[in-house]
Amino acid sequence: MKEKRGLWWIFGPVIIAFIMVIFLFLAPFSLHYSSNQKLKDASVSFSKDVFKGQTVKMAAFNNKTTHYVPFFGSSELLRMDALHPAILAAKYHRSYQPFLLGMAGTQSLTHYLSMQGMQPALHKKQAVFVISQQWFTKQGMQKWAFDSFYSPLQTVQWLQQAKSDNATDQYVAQRLLSQDQIKSSYTLEPMVRKIKENKPLTKTDMTLLNVQKRMLLSEDGLFSNLPVGHNWHKKVLTGTKRLPEQEQHSVLEQYAIQAGEKATKNSRFGIRSGFYQHRVAPDLDKLRQSQTKFDYRESIEYADFQTVLQEFAKNQTDVMFVIQPVNKKWSNYTGLDTKMYQQSVDKVKHQLVSQGFTNIADLSKDGAKPYFMEDTIHIGWRGWLAADQKINPFLTKGYQKPNYRLNNDYLTKKWQNLNPTEKNLLAFQ
């Protein structure tokens, strides 16, 4: 009896703790609360936990006080000078507020997966998607980037909706099976492989996915109340204080020129001084003519991008696409082929327009304008203002029902590797 009692004192607390954890993660009740201030912080937090999770995002998109609109992109979203869309919207009390989803490394495939848990925020709603031509390298998204932003929850949610006879789902399954996180998962890998091989998931598979989803959502809910990291919202408040009180384009343009001139006075390339001194100047000689072999015309990223378009079309999302330029002074120095760059832009635009995505802010030819760029590849003062001249009317007007015409040929290697001459693009319909 004493031996049994002794074993209970050793293992009993462990067993009870285990049962409590299981109960907590399988609990059918809400485990979170998001205040309006927390949502403001999260909208500009650039937190991986927010990006990979669902709780905070959906709390924002369901918020009755502020109309948050998803802004998808990558590292350019972090260039938060006073003309940034999030700051302009806050300063001038617009009918919407950007919820920024992206940072260095996020590209089409991670954005597609992130959309799996936010369909209510996309269904017959509006969104903004910022495109960087630098995504469209031959290999597409780098391994470290996928690893960094991978979310088991998003994969589970995708599997719950995936159709084994759907071309997009089969393509996504193929892409996932090349990633270490999926290959090492004894539960998810067999299901992803079924989708790739056009085999439907079983009832047992769906039951297992439901259990996993409940646990992952509970985990996400528990951690959603933790601080979201660096408080970028302070930068928003600082930016609003610097802007003119009245929203007038000519005044804002002059402010952008003055701010850009002040911030880049130590750089002959029109690059923000701090970035130039720490990131560029130390290797300046090595970087001369370093981009002569860069090519964005052939890339798996074009097919990854098509999955994003498929998701927008499925949800009838009204989307504005913003295409960034590159810093012309810098591209001249590094030898980036301007013709190649514009052909890659033409390829993206053809993929968009031919399928009914006609809301495009093409800034690709503006990289030579003074203070348009903040650094080598990211828009800044005048660039954000130019983008805002397209974004603000689009979002202020409100949702317009789109007419999309999707073409699965954009998932193929033929399109990925197509040399985008005018003749080739016209032939690819």
Side-chain angles (χ1 to χ4, degrees), residues 114-319:
S114 77
M115 293 174 183
Q116 300 310 302
M118 51 186 290
Q119 265 113 359
L122 298 175
H123 184 62
K124 295 185 177 181
K125 301 289 178 59
Q126 290 184 291
V128 174
F129 197 97
V130 185
I131 302 169
S132 295
Q133 295 308 118
Q134 292 75 24
W135 296 355
F136 297 88
T137 57
K138 186 69 175 178
Q139 74 277 10
M141 175 172 246
Q142 296 184 48
K143 182 182 180 301
W144 71 262
F146 185 88
D147 293 348
S148 183
F149 298 105
Y150 173 71
S151 165
L153 173 60
Q154 292 169 2
T155 303
V156 167
Q157 290 170 321
W158 168 72
L159 278 167
Q160 288 182 310
Q161 303 170 71
K163 306 297 182 185
S164 60
D165 59 351
N166 179 275
T168 300
D169 290 331
Q170 288 178 352
Y171 172 81
V172 171
Q174 177 182 322
R175 292 287 280 132
L176 289 176
L177 287 169
S178 68
Q179 307 298 333
D180 291 340
Q181 291 89 340
I182 300 300
K183 288 190 288 187
S184 62
S185 173
Y186 68 91
T187 55
L188 296 179
E189 193 274 347
M191 295 188 221
V192 175
R193 187 166 297 281
K194 284 182 181 179
I195 300 299
K196 177 181 178 293
E197 296 174 353
N198 194 9
K199 298 176 183 178
L201 300 184
T202 65
K203 289 183 179 180
T204 301
D205 291 332
M206 298 305 293
T207 299
L208 182 58
L209 288 173
N210 285 333
V211 173
Q212 286 185 282
K213 180 181 177 180
R214 183 180 294 183
M215 293 183 68
L216 290 167
L217 280 175
S218 295
E219 180 183 354
D220 183 43
L222 280 172
F223 291 108
S224 68
N225 278 323
L226 297 176
V228 293
H230 183 73
N231 190 353
W232 285 79
H233 194 254
K234 290 181 179 178
K235 204 162 189 175
V236 174
L237 296 177
T238 300
T240 59
K241 294 175 183 177
R242 294 174 178 170
L243 288 171
E245 287 304 313
Q246 298 300 317
E247 184 177 6
Q248 187 175 347
H249 180 69
S250 60
V251 177
L252 288 171
E253 180 78 17
Q254 189 59 39
Y255 172 84
I257 292 172
Q258 292 173 352
E261 183 178 23
K262 181 179 179 181
T264 62
K265 59 185 178 181
N266 295 328
S267 166
R268 62 186 168 109
F269 298 104
I271 297 173
R272 184 184 286 275
S273 297
F275 183 90
Y276 177 76
Q277 291 169 2
H278 297 290
R279 300 281 297 277
V280 177
D283 297 312
L284 188 60
D285 290 339
K286 295 179 183 178
L287 293 169
R288 184 192 297 273
Q289 297 298 300
S290 61
Q291 298 182 344
T292 56
K293 295 183 180 180
F294 282 22
D295 198 328
Y296 305 137
R297 293 171 296 188
E298 298 181 15
S299 174
I300 194 173
E301 184 69 26
Y302 288 100
D304 288 353
F305 183 53
Q306 182 64 16
T307 68
V308 168
L309 302 187
Q310 294 277 5
E311 195 66 21
F312 282 143
K314 183 173 75 173
N315 287 286
Q316 294 183 276
T317 313
D318 187 18
V319 195

Side-chain angles (χ1 to χ4, degrees), residues 86-100:
I87 298 177
L88 289 171
K91 172 67 176 182
Y92 299 117
H93 307 290
R94 292 178 178 170
S95 59
Y96 62 89
Q97 186 64 38
F99 195 102
L100 307 178

Side-chain angles (χ1 to χ4, degrees), residues 11 19 26 50 75-76 89 140 145 168 170 174 204 206 221 227 244 284 291 297 304 337 371 382 397 404 409 419:
F11 295 107
I19 293 172
L26 291 177
V50 172
S75 51
E76 75 286 336
T168 300
Q170 288 178 352
Q174 177 182 322
T204 301
M206 298 305 293
L284 188 60
Q291 298 182 344
R297 293 171 296 188
D304 288 353
D337 186 340
Y371 318 121
R382 293 182 70 195
K397 185 178 181 180
Y404 299 135
D409 287 344
N419 184 9

Side-chain angles (χ1 to χ4, degrees), residues 45-54 57 72-73 99-103 106-107 110-114 118 149-151 154:
S45 68
F46 305 107
S47 164
K48 289 183 182 179
D49 290 334
V50 172
F51 182 85
K52 296 193 290 185
Q54 176 178 318
K57 287 187 292 191
F72 301 94
F99 195 102
L100 307 178
L101 295 169
M103 59 204 83
T106 50
Q107 293 183 203
T110 43
H111 281 308
Y112 170 81
L113 291 172
S114 77
M118 51 186 290
F149 298 105
Y150 173 71
S151 165
Q154 292 169 2

